[in-house]
């Protein structure tokens, strides 16, 4: 049995009459990076704030390390590191002071690792916080969190203000944590980041988790795009159930591209093989395809076939 | 205007007024209401000849001069003259506070929040925002000034004429505007809004003290302090208009310097530059308590020095205050030397009892500010990372309360000690124990007000600022209460009113104990509310 670090069951949160979280259920297992994706306002940060005991759940349950996130907040926080989505710092403290303070609040010390991180991120810790840009404020929180010795790391859109170089440094550090069997909850809408780092993904929409699983499992639910050139024309393709968006290449003969439901790939391949394949290129769906598919559905209210 | 530096100033002025309209109305109702209500009451207060005579004698004592300014009018006296003398300095104080508030709000606070950057990125002239802030202040003051004058005319006090009432209103407007412009300048010097507010209050405080000291020595010297100019209007006497001119010139001068300063700096920067700081946190900065203390450090120091100076300045006039011979030579002849000493002692202690109210209300202010930061800092997003650490809410709550109480209690103590120390120069010797009665007496009131603030902060974070009504009303009801002859229940509305006259009398220990217990309960209630709710979303 896999050890579950975070367990959330049918979590709900109401702000007055507004139902911010309707039904959130997912878990984060030991040693994995869990990607938490969804558009702005879907409830990612609210979920995380409930997990941190900043907000009180209206229903359902949430535990970290098997302890209740509201009642045992302090005990949980001793083994946890967090980077908020918007980092606000005390304007008259320097970045260096804030980093040290955040470490001390968890009874830890500025270590060689802290210095290494400051160097990696090319961060100037002597400036007053009010002079830092968004990216630099984020670096403060990241350096403090990454140099904290913890079992669970929660990042809420940690790279939204970072340039690609720093984003890369962040990703490397997270992968290192993963190698040390740490658990990571990464909320993001930078899909390439999630795709690259996450073992499993949860998709949130309007306060509900609508899908969880590994990227592979999710791909299974969607379509692969295939571009193929055959010796003989393949006009029967449209008779196969599950094949969509057939487009014939205008320049080359017998070249066609289409998308196919994962469970129908077999049937499509049999047909193509019979026609003599010259070249074949298959593109697995990206997370972006998945994401858009879910959200287009969202805006239209029904599953669309326009892919 | 052709100069593109001023483009859109008119639009921005309207925008600023719209953004602040509710706050403007609140200040307006408070200030004009206070003036009108007091004016309506004065005829009944000092209607009789004997009442008039006794109040004039009181107002001529150095103690009253230090608090309200000199009474220079010649007989025959009337209630309008007394009103003008009692209210002028006092209302000036409120006008200056209002102007500091709006001046910082429309300049440096806009810059702090980044709104100014958005505005300046549009087709808006470089100087337009500052022009708009100045225009906003001018309009607010003019409007309030006119309403003040109208309320005085409507009150129809005995001896009040329209000319005097207009001068009163417009004089206060010009006075407020001058302090507003000074604050606009401070907003250029400091690179954050808190610093700008502290600097502004520092300037106002120093000018107020200078006015007090010169008034007691020789009112002619009061010209040295712009705060004293307001006394020179001689309302309902000679109706001097030209101090108004001096105030406007002063305002203009300050605006010019402010514009010059603004033209020579970047958005977000101040002339007082923030230097780079420590690379690593000191050993001391290690938990929520030391963090909050560190953040409040500057304002803590400023408040403590301020309270000490305030206390010392009042104490330094004890010699003059406690000299009955000066104010009433007849009495000395009637009484023996010992009796005079005793009488002087009573006069000083009476004065000190009134000052104790000033000190306790003043020291409540920073304490309340700190308590309310428990939500203010939250809204700024500063605490989100703290919540994710192994810091309990109890620890966080207690840290804010502790810093608040240290500031408040120490402030009160320093005010009283300053008064005692400087009061040593007087001929009449009064022991430290006697003065400390004021400290023990008013400390529980401070605790109750701060704990009531904590309950509001815990229960209703969005409207926690209404707790300012306690010290504001408490100050008005007690400082002016004696002169306005307020009924007991009206004085007892705030905890300050429950306390007896200390240090003139002894502390009522049982009451003090009860009030302290009440404060403790309120602090606990505040915590329970705070612990059970969501943190404020920013």
């Amino acid at each position: 049995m896999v050890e579950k670090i975070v367990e959330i069951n049918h979590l709900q949160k109401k702000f007055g009459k507004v139902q911010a979280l309707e039904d959130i259920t997912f878990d984060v297992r030991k040693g994995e990076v869990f990607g938490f994706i969804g558009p702005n306002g879907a409830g990612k940060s609210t979920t995380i704030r409930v997990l941190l005991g900043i907000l009180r759940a209206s229903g359902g349950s949430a535990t970290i390390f098997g302890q209740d996130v509201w009642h045992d907040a302090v005990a949980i926080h001793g083994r946890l590191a967090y980077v908020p989505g918007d980092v606000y710092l005390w304007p008259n403290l320097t970045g260096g002071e804030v980093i040290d303070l955040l470490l001390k609040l968890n009874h830890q010390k500025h270590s060689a690792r802290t210095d290494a991180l400051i160097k990696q991120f090319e961060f100037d810790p002597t400036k007053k916080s009010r002079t830092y840009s968004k990216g630099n404020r984020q670096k403060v929180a990241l350096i403090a969190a990454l140099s904290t010795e913890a079992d669970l790391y929660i990042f809420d859109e940690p790279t939204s203000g970072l340039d690609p170089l720093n984003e890369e440094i962040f990703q490397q550090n997270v992968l290192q944590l993963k190698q040390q069997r740490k658990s990571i909850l990464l909320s993001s809408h930078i899909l390439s980041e999630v795709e690259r780092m996450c073992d499993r993904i949860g998709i949130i929409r309007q306060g509900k988790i609508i899908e969880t699983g590994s990227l592979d499992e999710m791909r299974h639910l969607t379509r692969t795009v295939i571009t193929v050139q055959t010796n003989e024309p393949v006009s029967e393709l449209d008779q196969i159930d599950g094949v969509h968006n057939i487009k014939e290449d205008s320049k080359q003969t017998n070249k066609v591209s289409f998308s196919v439901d994962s469970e129908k790939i077999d049937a499509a391949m049999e047909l193509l093989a019979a026609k003599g394949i010259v070249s074949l290129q298959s593109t697995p769906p990206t997370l972006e395809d998945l994401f858009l598919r879910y959200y287009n559905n969202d805006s239209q209210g029904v599953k669309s076939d326009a892919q | 205007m052709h100069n593109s530096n001023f483009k859109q100033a008119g639009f921005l002025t309207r925008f600023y007024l719209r953004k602040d309209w509710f706050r403007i109305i609140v200040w307006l109702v408070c200030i004009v209401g206070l003036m009108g209500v007091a004016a309506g009451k004065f005829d009944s207060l000092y209607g009789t000849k004997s009442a008039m005579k006794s109040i004039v004698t009181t107002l001529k004592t150095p103690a009253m001069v230090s608090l309200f300014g000199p009474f220079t009018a010649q007989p025959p006296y009337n209630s309008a003259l007394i009103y003008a003398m009692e209210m002028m300095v006092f209302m000036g104080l409120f006008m200056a506070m209002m102007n500091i508030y709006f001046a910082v709000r429309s300049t440096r606070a806009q810059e702090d929040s980044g709104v100014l950057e958005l505005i300046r990125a549009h087709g808006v002239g470089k100087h337009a925002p500052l022009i708009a802030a100045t225009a906003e202040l001018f309009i607010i003051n003019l409007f309030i000034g006119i309403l003040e004058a109208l309320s005085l005319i409507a009150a129809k006090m005995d001896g009040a004429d329209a000319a005097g009432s207009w001068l009163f209103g417009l004089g206060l407007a010009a006075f407020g505007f001058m302090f507003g412009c000074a604050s606009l300048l401070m907003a250029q010097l400091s690179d954050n809004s808190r610093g700008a507010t502290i600097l502004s209050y520092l300037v106002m405080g120093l000018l107020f003290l200078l006015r007090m000291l010169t008034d007691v020595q020789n009112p002619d010297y009061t010209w040295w302090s712009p705060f004293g100019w307001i006394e020179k209007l001689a309302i309902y006497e000679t109706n001097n208009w030209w101090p108004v001119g001096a105030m406007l010139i002063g305002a203009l001068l300050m605006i010019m310097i402010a514009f010059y300063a603004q033209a020579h700096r970047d958005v977000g920067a101040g002339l007082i530059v923030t230097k780079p700081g420590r690379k690593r946190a000191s050993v001391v900065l290690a938990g929520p308590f030391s963090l909050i203390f560190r953040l409040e450090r500057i304002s803590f120091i400023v408040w403590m020095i301020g309270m000490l100076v305030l206390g010392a300045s009042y104490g330094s006039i004890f010699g003059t205050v406690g000299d009955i011979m000066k104010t009433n030579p007849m009495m000395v002849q009637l009484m023996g030397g010992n009796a005079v000493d005793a009488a002087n002692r009573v006069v000083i202690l009476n004065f000190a009892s009134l000052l104790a109210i000033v000190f306790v209300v003043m020291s409540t202010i920073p304490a309340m500010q700190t308590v309310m930061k428990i939500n203010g800092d939250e809204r700024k997003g500063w605490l989100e990372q703290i919540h994710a650490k192994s810091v309990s809410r109890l620890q966080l709550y207690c840290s804010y309360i502790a810093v608040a109480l240290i500031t408040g209690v120490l402030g009160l103590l320093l005010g009283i000690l300053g008064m005692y120390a400087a009061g040593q120069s007087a001929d009449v010797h009064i022991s430290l124990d006697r003065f400390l009665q004021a400290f023990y007496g008013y400390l529980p009131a401070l605790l109750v007000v701060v704990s009531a603030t904590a309950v509001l902060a815990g229960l209703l974070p969005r409207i926690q600022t209404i707790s300012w009504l306690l010290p504001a009303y408490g100050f008005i009801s007690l400082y002016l209460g004696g002169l306005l002859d307020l009924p007991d229940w009206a004085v007892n509305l705030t905890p300050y009113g429950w306390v007896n006259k200390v240090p003139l009398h002894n502390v009522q220990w049982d009451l003090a104990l009860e009030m302290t217990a009440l404060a403790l309960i309120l602090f606990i209630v505040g915590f329970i509310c705070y612990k059970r709710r969501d943190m404020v979303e920013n």
Side-chain angles (χ1 to χ4, degrees), chain A residues 34-285:
Chain A
F34 186 89
F36 192 31
I37 63 177
N40 299 326
K44 296 190 299 282
S45 294
T46 304
T47 307
I48 288 175
R49 286 191 173 137
V50 173
L51 284 180
L52 292 169
I54 295 173
L55 301 176
R56 189 175 197 167
S58 320
S61 71
T63 61
I64 296 180
F65 312 127
Q67 292 167 299
D68 184 89
V69 291
W70 177 262
H71 291 289
D72 306 316
V74 180
I76 293 171
H77 296 172
R79 298 168 57 191
L80 175 152
Y82 167 58
V83 175
D86 293 302
V87 181
Y88 298 100
L89 305 171
W90 303 277
N92 47 351
L93 296 189
T94 64
E97 283 178 305
V98 176
I99 291 171
D100 287 6
L101 174 75
L102 290 174
L103 283 165
K104 284 183 196 173
L105 288 175
N106 259 19
H107 313 294
Q108 300 195 9
K109 282 201 191 100
H110 188 110
S111 60
R113 176 151 172 74
T114 316
D115 286 327
L117 283 162
I118 289 175
K119 214 168 170 185
Q120 274 183 42
F121 280 108
E122 291 179 345
F123 177 72
D124 177 359
T126 62
K127 283 187 177 168
K128 296 274 185 188
S129 293
R130 74 165 64 92
T131 63
Y132 287 132
S133 64
K134 177 175 163 61
N136 274 325
R137 291 201 304 270
Q138 223 151 20
K139 283 183 193 175
V140 171
L142 278 172
I143 291 167
L146 289 170
S147 67
T148 300
E149 198 56 52
D151 297 319
L152 173 65
Y153 294 80
I154 297 180
F155 300 105
D156 189 358
E157 293 181 16
T159 54
S160 50
L162 295 185
D163 60 44
L165 280 177
N166 285 307
E167 202 178 318
E168 173 71 25
I169 294 168
F170 166 73
Q171 292 180 0
Q172 282 169 6
N173 275 290
V174 170
L175 291 175
Q176 265 177 40
L177 291 175
K178 188 183 158 184
Q179 280 162 12
Q180 296 161 25
R181 299 273 297 147
K182 309 284 190 187
S183 310
I184 290 125
L185 173 57
L186 172 66
S187 147
S188 180
H189 50 212
I190 300 175
L191 299 171
S192 60
E193 185 175 275
V194 174
E195 203 163 10
R196 181 175 161 200
M197 293 197 294
C198 296
D199 303 296
R200 289 189 317 127
I201 293 162
I203 299 181
I204 182 171
R205 185 184 75 189
Q206 293 184 341
K208 281 186 205 156
I209 291 281
I210 48 173
E211 199 68 64
T212 47
S214 67
L215 195 53
D216 282 344
E217 282 164 11
M218 284 199 188
R219 278 186 180 135
H220 202 68
L221 298 172
T222 181
R223 296 163 188 161
T224 305
V225 177
I226 288 173
T227 309
V228 66
Q229 191 167 21
T230 45
N231 288 324
E232 296 168 43
V234 279
S235 48
E236 304 93 325
L237 255 180
D238 54 356
Q239 284 155 27
I240 300 175
D241 205 26
V243 171
H244 313 267
N245 301 345
I246 303 165
K247 279 181 210 144
E248 287 187 34
D249 197 300
S250 51
K251 288 173 198 152
Q252 289 171 287
T253 50
N254 296 341
K255 185 168 183 185
V256 71
S257 75
F258 59 92
S259 59
V260 56
D261 289 348
S262 300
E263 58 267 35
K264 298 289 180 192
I265 287 182
D266 207 27
M269 285 302 135
E270 265 178 42
L271 177 78
L272 292 174
K275 303 293 179 185
I277 298 172
V278 178
S279 74
L280 182 131
Q281 195 187 359
S282 95
T283 320

Side-chain angles (χ1 to χ4, degrees), chain B residues 168-470:
Chain B
F168 206 142
L170 296 179
L172 277 175
F175 181 78
F177 186 60
M178 175 173 68
F179 275 91
C181 292
S183 204
L184 290 178
L185 176 59
M186 297 308 144
Q188 304 305 318
L189 299 184
S190 166
D191 67 357
N192 61 89
S193 58
R194 227 180 65 183
T197 305
I198 291 176
L199 273 179
S200 303
Y201 271 95
L202 218 58
V203 169
M204 186 185 85
L206 286 175
L207 294 181
F208 183 85
L209 287 179
L210 186 61
R211 174 211 70 79
M212 187 195 86
L213 293 173
T214 50
D215 269 351
V216 173
Q217 299 304 320
N218 179 356
D220 286 345
Y221 296 144
T222 303
W223 278 110
W224 287 106
S225 165
F227 204 109
W229 296 352
I230 198 163
E231 295 168 358
K232 304 296 176 189
L233 296 169
I235 286 163
Y236 301 131
E237 302 173 52
T238 47
N239 285 340
N240 240 340
W241 274 92
W242 61 280
V244 174
M247 292 170 191
L248 291 178
I249 290 171
L252 196 69
L253 217 71
M254 237 90 71
I255 299 173
M256 278 159 52
I257 305 175
F259 273 97
Y260 178 83
Q262 180 185 257
H264 289 81
R265 69 176 181 89
D266 298 331
V267 173
L271 292 185
I272 301 170
V273 184
T274 310
K275 285 188 293 257
R278 305 173 67 101
K279 202 170 174 177
R280 301 274 303 267
S282 74
V283 206
V284 188
L285 181 64
F289 176 78
S290 49
L291 169 66
I292 297 160
F293 211 91
R294 167 71 202 275
L295 297 173
E296 302 286 297
R297 192 172 59 187
I298 303 284
S299 89
F300 177 81
I301 295 171
V302 170
W303 271 104
M304 291 309 114
I305 294 176
M307 289 302 294
L308 192 69
V309 171
L310 184 72
S313 330
Y314 279 122
S316 69
I317 59 172
F318 276 5
T320 327
V321 170
D323 193 349
I324 293 187
M325 269 200 276
K326 253 188 194 158
T327 43
N328 206 339
M330 280 292 286
M331 250 166 84
V332 184
Q333 286 175 5
L334 292 173
M335 304 189 294
N338 280 341
V340 169
D341 256 14
N344 282 341
R345 201 178 137 88
V346 170
V347 170
I348 291 179
L349 285 176
N350 246 317
F351 183 48
S353 302
L354 195 57
L355 293 179
I357 295 163
V358 178
F359 298 152
V360 71
V361 172
M362 290 286 285
S363 50
T364 313
I365 294 172
M368 281 176 66
Q369 276 176 336
T370 306
V371 171
M372 286 194 243
K373 284 209 171 98
I374 202 168
N375 293 315
D377 290 358
E378 189 78 52
R379 243 171 250 140
K380 289 177 185 149
W382 293 350
L383 300 184
E384 180 147 2
Q385 294 195 78
I386 303 266
H387 292 311
K389 297 287 170 186
S390 49
V391 172
S392 68
R393 286 198 188 181
L394 179 65
Q395 215 179 331
L396 197 60
Y397 179 84
C398 289
S399 303
Y400 275 98
I401 300 291
V403 174
L405 289 183
I406 290 174
T407 315
V409 173
L410 206 60
L412 177 60
L413 185 64
L414 284 175
I416 289 167
L417 287 181
M419 177 169 76
Y420 164 75
Q424 292 297 303
S425 59
D427 292 336
V428 185
H429 178 75
I430 300 171
S431 71
L432 179 59
D433 277 352
R434 181 45 51 198
F435 278 110
L436 285 179
Q437 297 286 319
F439 175 69
Y440 300 128
Y442 274 112
L443 181 62
L446 181 129
L447 295 179
V448 173
V449 175
V450 175
S451 63
T453 310
V455 171
L456 267 175
L459 189 64
L460 301 164
R462 276 170 215 287
I463 54 163
Q464 60 176 357
T465 41
I466 60 167
S467 43
W468 284 120
L469 285 175
L470 278 177

